[in-house]
Amino acid sequence: MSVWPAWKVREDGGVMAWFHVRLAFADGAQVDTLAVVAEGRVSLEDVRAQPALSLEDLGALADWIQGPLLEACGLAPPGAAEQLAGRARPGWPRGMEGRRLIAQEYRAAQEGGVDPVLAVMCATGHSRRKSLRLISQARDAGFLTPRHARR
């Protein structure tokens, strides 16, 4: 994660600081945001993500970046960022339980008219390649229907 200051405004005895924040992932996914820190709280002004974030991940985004931002402002003790980041996304179960949950996410996204692979990516926090592998394992385990052969 990269954090760099944009500008500060002093008002009514307080300071509001804006920061550019970039989260870049190994699979090429990226989230850019303009965040405001005021009175020890983080607010998001603008968010751009590729691929798009789910509503759940968008809601959790402030929590993901809160520690590093407060640390950059000197409002959090060093190491607080790592503690908060560790809680950003819960672990995903392995084995058959994980495959069953992958299938549930996949089917729910299909029924909702959303990209099912993206839904699995958002739910697990894995890259597109890893998510496709997990979906394939859920198919092999019989939780999803087989893919149709192309003509």
Side-chain angles (χ1 to χ4, degrees):
M1 177 162 62
S2 303
V3 177
W4 61 97
W7 62 88
K8 284 185 181 180
V9 175
R10 296 184 191 284
E11 182 177 277
D12 298 327
V15 176
M16 293 177 69
W18 278 261
F19 291 88
H20 294 286
V21 180
R22 173 169 287 160
L23 297 164
F25 301 93
D27 64 352
Q30 183 171 303
V31 179
D32 289 305
T33 186
L34 181 63
V36 179
V37 177
E39 299 176 4
R41 296 179 49 198
V42 174
S43 301
L44 302 177
E45 292 287 321
D46 183 41
V47 177
R48 295 175 190 218
Q50 186 63 29
L53 293 174
S54 69
L55 288 177
E56 183 179 311
D57 285 342
L58 184 58
L61 181 60
D63 292 335
W64 294 350
I65 65 175
Q66 180 177 4
L69 281 175
L70 293 178
E71 209 171 284
C73 294
L75 299 173
E82 289 80 19
Q83 291 173 348
L84 284 171
R87 296 185 315 204
R89 190 185 295 269
W92 194 261
R94 298 179 187 265
M96 291 307 260
E97 178 64 15
R99 292 179 185 123
R100 186 182 62 75
L101 292 173
I102 293 288
Q104 284 179 348
E105 287 288 334
Y106 188 93
R107 282 192 303 271
Q110 276 184 324
E111 291 168 5
V114 180
D115 178 5
V117 177
L118 184 59
V120 171
M121 289 171 60
C122 292
T124 63
H126 291 302
S127 68
R128 183 171 187 81
R129 177 178 283 171
K130 175 70 173 175
S131 295
L132 287 168
R133 191 174 313 130
L134 292 171
I135 291 166
S136 176
Q137 291 171 356
R139 284 187 200 288
D140 292 345
F143 293 116
L144 293 170
T145 58
R147 292 185 57 154
H148 298 344
R150 294 187 180 178
R151 295 181 185 188

